Amino acid sequence: MISSSRSAAICSLLKPISRSTLSVSSPTCGALARTVPGVADVNVLGGHARAFVVVPDRARLRANGLHLDDLVQALERNNRNDGAGRLQAGENALIVRVEGALANADDIGNVVLKPGMPPVRVRDVARVRTEAMTRYGAVTRDGKGEAVQGIVVA
C-alpha cells in the first residue's frame, strides 16, 4: 500500500518551473518515490531535458589524422549503457544496469580520441555545448505557464 501523504509530498510536483527544475526533480523525485512500498516506477513529465551537442571541426579532425567515425566511436566507447544481468533477491529479481560515465560537457571534451603526447581530445577537434532537447509536448497548470508533473506507477 502506498502512503498517500508520503507519495503526494514526494511526487506531486506541479509547480512553475525553471530550466533546472526537471534536472533536479526527475532524479530526486523518482529516487525518493521508488523507496515507498508499492511504487513500481515514477515518470516525470514537463520541463526541459538536457542534451549535449558535439559540433566537430572537420579541418581540425583532418589535421590530427582523424575522421568523424573516430569521434563517434570514441564517444560511444566512453559512454556505454549496458545491462549487467540480474540478481536474485528472494522472490524478486533486480536488474543490474551500468550507466555511461559522461555526465557533463567537460567530461565529453576530455574523451581521448588519439593517445600520444599530448593526446588529442574531443575538445581539441570539436565544440561541446549543453542545450535543451527538442520538446514534443508540455505540461501546464490550470492552462497557464509550464509545470513539471510526477506520475507514480503502483
Side-chain angles (χ1 to χ4, degrees):
M1 180 87 183
I2 299 172
S3 161
S4 60
S5 62
R6 185 167 179 202
S7 63
I10 293 171
C11 275
S12 287
L13 296 176
L14 197 54
K15 59 184 181 181
I17 64 163
S18 66
R19 284 193 171 270
S20 62
T21 301
L22 180 61
S23 63
V24 171
S25 65
S26 187
T28 304
C29 173
L32 287 172
R34 285 184 194 95
T35 65
V36 176
V39 172
D41 198 6
V42 177
N43 296 313
V44 178
L45 306 170
H48 297 272
R50 180 178 61 165
F52 299 111
V53 178
V54 178
V55 182
D57 182 324
R58 290 185 182 263
R60 287 185 182 175
L61 282 167
R62 199 170 27 255
N64 285 284
L66 296 166
H67 300 280
L68 191 56
D69 285 343
D70 298 318
L71 176 62
V72 171
Q73 290 171 10
L75 292 171
E76 287 175 348
R77 265 193 321 272
N78 284 275
N79 200 46
R80 290 182 55 173
N81 291 328
D82 284 325
R86 296 173 189 244
L87 295 174
Q88 291 299 118
E91 295 178 9
N92 297 319
L94 303 173
I95 297 172
V96 180
R97 184 174 155 203
V98 179
E99 292 189 11
L102 302 177
N104 56 51
D106 287 337
D107 288 349
I108 294 169
N110 286 327
V111 169
V112 174
L113 298 173
K114 187 175 178 181
M117 289 308 283
V120 178
R121 300 180 187 276
V122 169
R123 68 174 178 244
D124 299 324
V125 298
R127 285 182 298 130
V128 181
R129 65 178 187 253
T130 305
E131 58 185 46
M133 288 178 63
T134 301
R135 291 173 26 165
Y136 297 103
V139 174
T140 65
R141 181 175 184 172
D142 299 327
K144 300 173 189 163
E146 292 189 54
V148 175
Q149 178 179 23
I151 298 174
V152 178
V153 181

